[in-house]
Amino acid sequence: SFCFSYSILTYFALFLAIMCCADFKNQKRQKICNHSSAEIVNDDQAKAEKRRKEKLEQNRISAMKSRLRKKLAAEKLKKVHDNLLAEHKVLKQKHDILLSCLAEVESK
């Protein structure tokens, strides 16, 4: 009877130890899996954040180039405008001279 109960208790203790060990391994495996999926999520988030930062940087550079092109185009238009004003002034002076010459010719 004592041997029998000892052996049952031994098997029961062994059974509990195995179950606890199995449960511990499952918990550890779940933590590893959860940790791995968390790492994957963090890795994906890090990649997405890196892509977002790269895109922002590319957009910043593109905007800077666009502003520079706009500035250069405005400067070019201003030069054309200034040249046309100067040419207009010269042509107006020539026109005034020709009008005065015509007036002299008509008065004679």
Side-chain angles (χ1 to χ4, degrees):
S1 159
F2 177 75
C3 261
F4 179 75
S5 62
Y6 177 77
S7 129
I8 290 175
L9 288 175
T10 305
Y11 285 118
F12 184 71
L14 185 60
F15 173 76
L16 286 178
I18 290 170
M19 292 305 291
C20 288
C21 185
D23 189 39
F24 176 76
K25 285 181 181 179
N26 283 337
Q27 287 177 354
K28 191 173 180 182
R29 190 175 298 121
Q30 285 176 348
K31 284 182 182 178
I32 290 170
C33 289
N34 289 341
H35 184 66
S36 296
S37 63
E39 283 179 356
I40 291 168
V41 169
N42 285 340
D43 192 37
D44 288 345
Q45 288 174 344
K47 286 179 182 177
E49 182 65 19
K50 184 180 177 184
R51 282 192 301 267
R52 189 183 74 79
K53 286 183 180 182
E54 288 172 353
K55 188 166 183 132
L56 283 173
E57 183 63 25
Q58 289 172 351
N59 189 32
R60 193 174 296 117
I61 291 169
S62 178
M64 187 173 57
K65 287 179 180 179
S66 177
R67 286 189 294 270
L68 183 59
R69 280 192 307 269
K70 185 177 179 180
K71 183 179 178 182
L72 292 174
E75 288 174 359
K76 185 177 178 181
L77 283 175
K78 182 163 179 16
K79 286 180 184 178
V80 169
H81 178 260
D82 292 344
N83 289 339
L84 288 173
L85 284 177
E87 186 180 350
H88 179 265
K89 185 178 179 181
V90 170
L91 290 173
K92 187 168 170 62
Q93 289 172 349
K94 287 182 181 180
H95 179 262
D96 291 342
I97 292 170
L98 288 173
L99 279 178
S100 65
C101 288
L102 180 63
E104 279 181 35
V105 170
E106 287 180 349
S107 67
K108 288 185 185 180

